[in-house]
Amino acid sequence: MNARIGDNSAAERNKRPIFDALVEHLADARHVLEVGAGDATHARHALERLSDCIWQTSEAPGHYRRLVAALADRPEPRLPRPLSLDVRGQWPAGPFDAVFGANVAHIMDWAAVEALFAGAARVLRRDGRLCLYGPFLRRGEQPEPGNAAFDSALRDRDPGMGLREIEALDGLSEPLGLIRVADIAMPRDNRLLIWQQRGR
């Protein structure tokens, strides 16, 4: 079973395996932007695992107050005030060493996914990385039963949502100079996909 919208238990459960896989790819990162930070579960864990990193959280305008409230009682210099970020709108200037998002691509419509990749490409420094965690599909392959059911449930809820094909994401990334450098199998039929900025 994959993460549903607002499922904090999933974030709590998956934070350790995500960062076990992510740490080597972000070992030199000093400034990371998280898209769709939720209640900052991953952000807090990032501070433990990446000791020299400033982790900038952000959330869509409709969910932004929840993120602000989650961080209000825990001031931390390496966890700046959250940003309200509509991926289709204006992004922070950066540059960032990485952009990270967990369980975001399947709850956005395709236009927002396109905007996510375009925005990340603009704000990443050269050799910076876009890191997405979640359930994905692979073109021409039968999805795992849990992912197939999750994809169907998302599309029933909103036809614009749904699991994304890795190859379709590569089709967005390559013209932007983002080249996929990692595809890591994760627990519960999830994956960690990493693209690196090579275009500038």
Side-chain angles (χ1 to χ4, degrees):
M1 185 73 67
N2 288 295
R4 283 356 188 223
I5 299 170
D7 182 0
N8 178 57
S9 63
E12 189 64 37
R13 182 178 62 242
N14 65 36
K15 66 183 184 182
R16 287 181 178 81
I18 287 174
F19 280 89
D20 286 347
L22 196 58
V23 161
E24 69 175 281
H25 295 280
L26 297 186
D28 297 325
R30 296 294 176 264
H31 202 187
V32 175
L33 172 65
E34 181 178 4
V35 176
D39 68 353
T41 295
H42 290 129
R44 292 192 190 95
H45 193 64
L47 298 190
E48 298 175 16
R49 302 296 299 270
L50 301 167
S51 59
D52 297 322
C53 186
I54 296 172
W55 193 273
Q56 176 64 67
T57 57
S58 72
E59 186 53 271
H63 303 281
Y64 174 66
R65 288 185 179 180
R66 176 187 178 216
L67 176 58
V68 172
L71 293 173
D73 62 343
R74 300 204 42 188
E76 162 61 60
R78 292 192 296 120
L79 200 56
R81 181 174 176 80
L83 302 176
S84 177
L85 175 61
D86 180 340
V87 294
R88 298 178 183 88
Q90 184 172 354
W91 283 58
F96 294 96
D97 299 305
V99 174
F100 169 77
N103 291 310
V104 294
H106 56 267
I107 61 171
M108 297 176 171
D109 62 27
W110 186 247
V113 176
E114 292 177 320
L116 169 64
F117 274 76
R122 285 195 304 273
V123 303
L124 284 171
R125 65 164 174 78
R126 182 171 177 82
D127 295 330
R129 296 185 172 193
L130 170 62
C131 309
L132 297 181
Y133 165 87
F136 298 95
L137 304 176
R138 201 177 295 279
R139 189 170 295 163
E141 294 186 12
Q142 190 72 19
E144 300 85 351
N147 280 348
F150 186 39
D151 181 55
S152 179
L154 285 168
R155 294 180 190 278
D156 286 345
R157 176 175 178 170
D158 181 339
M161 298 196 298
L163 274 60
R164 308 304 176 187
E165 289 185 345
I166 295 171
E167 294 80 5
L169 299 179
D170 286 341
L172 294 180
S173 67
E174 289 173 6
L176 297 167
L178 291 165
I179 307 302
R180 181 156 51 90
V181 294
D183 177 356
I184 304 167
M186 303 293 290
R188 296 174 177 256
D189 300 325
N190 290 295
R191 309 199 74 79
L192 178 64
L193 305 177
I194 301 176
W195 293 266
Q196 189 164 15
Q197 176 62 269
R198 301 278 178 83
R200 291 178 292 176

